[in-house]
Amino acid sequence: MSRSGSPTVVLIHGAFADASSFGRVIPELLARGLDVVAPAVPNRSLLGDSAYIASIVREIPGPVVLVGHSYGGAVITVAGAEDNVKALVYVAGYALEEGESLGELQGRFPDSGLATALVYSPFPIEGSTTPGTDVSVEIDKFPSIFAADVDPRIAAVLAVSQRPLAAQAFAEKAPVAAWKTKPSWGLVATADHTINPDVQRYGYQRADMATVEVDSSHLAMLAHPERVIQLIEDAIRATAL
């Protein structure tokens, strides 16, 4: 339990980003007396990333509110099954169904602008002669696709400090959907050119979660941190009852 008696807020970043994407949210949560954990997600595989985040969550004493942005939404869908997770908050994220992959959910809807801006690069896999494939975003296209309403100076830094996502993560199926047993909230970024907003809406509606829509780029946490904080606070209040 945090200093305030509230749950610990665990912030899970998405693909092509790192925990600094929550850089405008974290100071405000800390100022409210909340304990915050913002781990680095390996971005290697949905199952491996979820297991890693679940291991962090298990070590936190007391209840947890798990917040996932983008691909981080898929991660919290699986890792959120941990017993001490009391609520899930999706920020422009993937809310997968049990047995569903990122590719399958995304494939239900037209591609976003991201599809034409991806870069595929081989990376070595220890113990294997076959390399893996890293997926990232073209640096020049990153600001307009990922962060159109973010300070251009910040967007430029984010573009050259991306954490790629291994292609394997798109095909792995979620073994569990934590939103079936945990109260959940979702933010739709309606001006998102990374994840089609309809992909977000579909996942949230299917999960019957409380949803808000914000005129935002994909990086809603940097463009509209107050709306993300409000959603996290809604989850904290609801689970404290």
Side-chain angles (χ1 to χ4, degrees):
M1 188 74 76
S2 73
R3 294 182 299 274
S4 66
S6 297
T8 297
V9 179
V10 180
L11 303 169
I12 306 303
H13 67 78
F16 323 129
D18 60 23
S20 68
S21 58
F22 287 101
R24 295 188 67 190
V25 169
I26 292 171
E28 296 300 324
L29 296 177
L30 293 174
R32 288 160 168 76
L34 294 165
D35 282 344
V36 178
V37 177
V41 182
N43 284 2
R44 298 296 82 190
S45 70
L46 176 59
L47 299 181
D49 294 341
S50 301
Y52 176 68
I53 295 304
S55 74
I56 292 174
V57 168
R58 283 195 297 272
E59 294 301 312
I60 296 174
V64 165
V65 170
L66 203 48
V67 182
H69 172 247
S70 188
Y71 167 66
V75 174
I76 71 170
T77 296
V78 180
E82 289 298 310
D83 290 343
N84 59 330
V85 174
K86 301 304 178 185
L88 306 171
V89 178
Y90 292 80
V91 181
Y94 294 104
L96 297 178
E97 173 61 278
E98 183 177 338
E100 183 178 55
S101 69
L102 288 172
E104 288 169 341
L105 174 54
Q106 221 166 231
R108 295 173 182 267
F109 300 91
D111 286 340
S112 69
L114 177 68
T116 61
L118 294 176
V119 177
Y120 300 90
S121 307
F123 70 89
I125 298 178
E126 186 176 357
S128 174
T129 57
T130 303
T133 301
D134 260 342
V135 184
S136 58
V137 182
E138 288 184 38
I139 291 173
D140 290 347
K141 293 182 179 179
F142 184 98
S144 62
I145 287 175
F146 219 73
D149 51 359
V150 173
D151 182 329
R153 295 168 299 177
I154 295 175
V157 172
L158 295 172
V160 300
S161 59
Q162 296 177 50
R163 291 180 64 92
L165 179 66
Q168 175 181 344
F170 290 96
E172 291 184 340
K173 299 179 184 293
V176 63
W179 47 259
K180 291 188 173 184
T181 56
K182 309 293 174 80
S184 304
W185 287 256
L187 182 147
V188 176
T190 61
D192 198 335
H193 296 296
T194 298
I195 299 178
N196 184 331
D198 285 338
V199 172
Q200 302 168 39
R201 291 187 186 99
Y202 177 82
Y204 300 168
Q205 290 168 1
R206 180 172 61 181
D208 195 27
M209 65 178 73
T211 304
V212 299
E213 300 213 355
V214 179
D215 182 14
S216 176
S217 70
H218 190 55
L219 285 175
M221 317 88 73
L222 286 172
H224 302 279
E226 70 287 347
R227 300 300 300 274
V228 175
I229 293 164
Q230 183 179 34
L231 208 59
I232 294 170
E233 289 185 321
D234 287 348
I236 290 172
R237 280 193 296 268
T239 55
L241 298 177

